[in-house]
Amino acid sequence: APADGDDAEAVDAGLSRALALLEAAEAHDWGVDDAGLEPCARILRRAEAQTYALEAKAVLGAAIGATAASLHRSGQAVSAEGLFRTALDKLGECRHGHLAKVAPVSQSVVAQDYAALLEDWENRARDAAGVRKQYPLCPPGNHAPLLLGVPAWHVLG
């Protein structure tokens, strides 16, 4: 099962520590042959790639949501609706692991923009209320939205 909250931070810290130890082992001749380190290196590279893939999906979701909001403002409601749905789906896939506190806030922001689009459409107020209910505004606190398409911990950390 994917890690959440504090567990995600522990996973990230463990991955960083494992990568540092592997690099140290490769840099020094401690009597460990390279063939013995290779399986560990492969596992760590795969874990690191999965982490970056999740971040890329979150950034893509936030960017699609921003594009949808822009299309809505320019009067292209039908195109915007499809992009809003895609953005919500992408961000929904990122609600675990180290993005557990970040993605829901971005998803909520996109959902509120989507609900505004639906309210502008005739006979879609009920749909807008449903979107707002499904994706309520996240309270401020230890959550940080994706800022300008960059996860906030890269900007703030």
Side-chain angles (χ1 to χ4, degrees):
D4 289 330
D6 292 337
D7 291 339
E9 291 175 18
V11 168
D12 288 343
L15 178 59
S16 295
R17 183 170 183 268
L19 288 169
L21 290 171
L22 182 64
E23 287 172 6
E26 289 174 340
H28 296 86
D29 184 14
W30 290 335
V32 179
D33 64 355
D34 289 340
L37 294 175
E38 188 53 36
C40 182
R42 278 196 313 268
I43 291 168
L44 290 173
R45 279 193 222 90
R46 189 176 7 199
E48 189 175 34
Q50 289 171 347
T51 297
Y52 291 137
L54 188 63
E55 289 177 4
K57 192 176 289 186
V59 170
L60 179 61
I64 292 170
T67 302
S70 180
L71 287 174
H72 171 221
R73 285 190 292 278
S74 70
Q76 299 179 47
V78 175
S79 296
E81 181 177 23
L83 289 178
F84 276 130
R85 289 177 183 225
T86 299
L88 290 171
D89 289 345
K90 290 276 183 223
L91 289 165
E93 295 172 17
C94 302
R95 294 179 67 105
H96 61 276
H98 65 285
L99 296 178
K101 293 181 181 180
V102 178
V105 180
S106 293
Q107 193 176 34
S108 176
V109 169
V110 169
Q112 299 311 307
D113 288 342
Y114 179 32
L117 166 86
L118 293 172
E119 283 180 342
D120 288 347
W121 238 327
E122 191 174 330
N123 298 321
R124 299 288 304 266
R126 178 178 279 171
D127 294 337
V131 168
R132 285 200 171 99
K133 184 176 181 182
Q134 184 177 356
Y135 303 100
L137 283 174
C138 291
N142 60 352
H143 296 285
L146 296 175
L147 303 172
L148 303 174
V150 179
W153 64 90
H154 291 299
V155 176
L156 304 174

